Amino acid sequence: MANIDFSAQIMAARMKISRTAVWSSLKSAIALMLIMWTVGNFIGLSFCFLRLTGRIKVRNAGILRKAIAQKKAIVLICNHPSLWEPPWLSALFFPFYLFSARLIPVSTPDKKNYYDKCWYWVARPASIPIERGNHREEVKALRMMGKVIERRGVMVLFAEGGRTFKGTPEAMRYSLSGRKIRRFFKEGIRRLAADPDQVAFIPVWTEDGKVMPNRDRVSGFGLSFPRIWRQTIITIGEQVDLSGTQP
């Protein structure tokens, strides 16, 4: 029987897998930059126009520029009043994400309600899907978030786990000014805050003035035409240390 050089076969298989992985990563990176220079550019320019016309007002924008200069991973912790504000939160990093893949904001949409929809295809390269109720997939998503932090990337997290209006009264938390937010961080998300020297957690509060009113799917179609004559205010807070946050 002829001798079979298994080590050579294993090495060849590993090289093939390595080349496939590199090519796959390269294609993903090219697709992502193409999307940023087309869709991302359109959203960024629209954001600038809405700011110039006073339809969107950003408070404390310097905090974000300071965080970018620190070259840490950046995680925006946001409330979620409607479907109007998510693209504008990503646009806070325009035009930086056109020239640095590190600063392309990664979103964390619900897999069933958003990520798997055909119209969401354009945003998938910059998204980490969350399949709620599936522990294995939730752990996988958490690992992907960890990789974004390792490469000092940018993430947009909606701490409420959904739009505010869907929260039950017992799940709500109220500030002294009467503002309400739904839920707190889950334990898995807190693990991302283990090293504050590596991550800049920045709270962002959006007052959208009911630009896009929410509708329950039971009562009709879930989207509304944006009332862009109303003002949206995005307030950026100072960096916070979540490493010692308790459940």
Side-chain angles (χ1 to χ4, degrees):
M1 181 179 294
N3 293 328
I4 301 176
D5 189 350
F6 288 106
S7 61
Q9 292 182 6
I10 293 173
M11 182 63 69
R14 287 179 176 175
M15 290 179 65
K16 183 177 180 180
I17 293 173
S18 178
R19 286 196 297 268
T20 302
V22 170
W23 176 239
S24 178
S25 298
L26 182 60
K27 287 194 297 183
S28 298
I30 293 174
L32 188 57
M33 292 308 297
L34 284 175
I35 290 173
M36 287 298 102
W37 275 93
T38 52
V39 178
N41 214 358
F42 174 76
I43 291 175
L45 292 173
S46 299
F47 180 68
C48 293
F49 174 77
L50 291 172
R51 289 188 67 182
L52 286 173
T53 56
R55 297 307 86 209
I56 293 180
K57 181 178 181 180
V58 179
R59 294 173 175 169
N60 306 328
I63 293 175
L64 207 57
R65 290 194 292 269
K66 179 180 177 181
I68 292 173
Q70 290 176 337
K71 296 184 178 180
K72 295 182 180 180
I74 299 175
V75 179
L76 301 188
I77 311 168
C78 315
N79 66 319
H80 195 3
S82 72
L83 295 177
W84 169 250
E85 78 280 353
W88 311 130
L89 294 175
S90 295
L92 289 170
F93 294 90
F94 178 83
F96 304 106
Y97 57 62
L98 295 178
F99 308 101
S100 174
R102 182 181 72 86
L103 296 175
I104 296 176
V106 176
S107 299
T108 54
D110 181 87
K111 186 176 188 297
K112 179 180 178 181
N113 294 325
Y114 298 102
Y115 187 86
D116 286 345
K117 301 298 183 183
C118 59
W119 49 263
Y120 196 84
W121 68 271
V122 70
R124 285 176 188 160
S127 300
I128 297 175
I130 307 296
E131 188 171 350
R132 307 187 193 284
N134 187 329
H135 180 69
R136 179 176 295 181
E137 291 300 316
E138 288 179 344
V139 171
K140 179 181 177 181
L142 189 63
R143 289 174 179 168
M144 294 173 69
M145 293 180 197
K147 290 181 179 179
V148 174
I149 288 179
E150 287 177 2
R151 64 176 175 82
R152 301 180 186 274
V154 174
M155 277 194 299
V156 179
L157 293 182
F158 295 102
E160 299 173 279
R163 280 174 283 170
T164 308
F165 86 104
K166 291 186 175 182
T168 57
E170 58 272 15
M172 292 295 182
R173 298 295 184 270
Y174 294 85
S175 70
L176 294 176
S177 62
R179 293 176 175 176
K180 62 182 180 180
I181 191 168
R182 172 188 170 200
R183 304 178 186 173
F184 286 147
F185 274 125
K186 292 185 177 181
E187 182 61 30
I189 297 299
R190 290 191 184 93
R191 294 175 185 174
L192 298 177
D195 188 354
D197 293 331
Q198 299 295 324
V199 190
F201 281 90
I202 300 177
V204 177
W205 186 269
T206 302
E207 295 282 355
D208 67 358
K210 295 184 178 180
V211 174
M212 185 177 286
N214 293 296
R215 293 183 182 177
D216 196 325
R217 291 187 178 183
V218 175
S219 61
F221 187 59
L223 295 177
S224 300
F225 186 79
R227 303 172 181 178
I228 58 175
W229 56 88
R230 295 184 174 179
Q231 189 180 56
T232 298
I233 300 176
I234 301 174
T235 303
I236 301 171
E238 294 287 351
Q239 296 182 32
V240 294
D241 182 359
L242 297 180
S243 58
T245 304
Q246 294 300 316

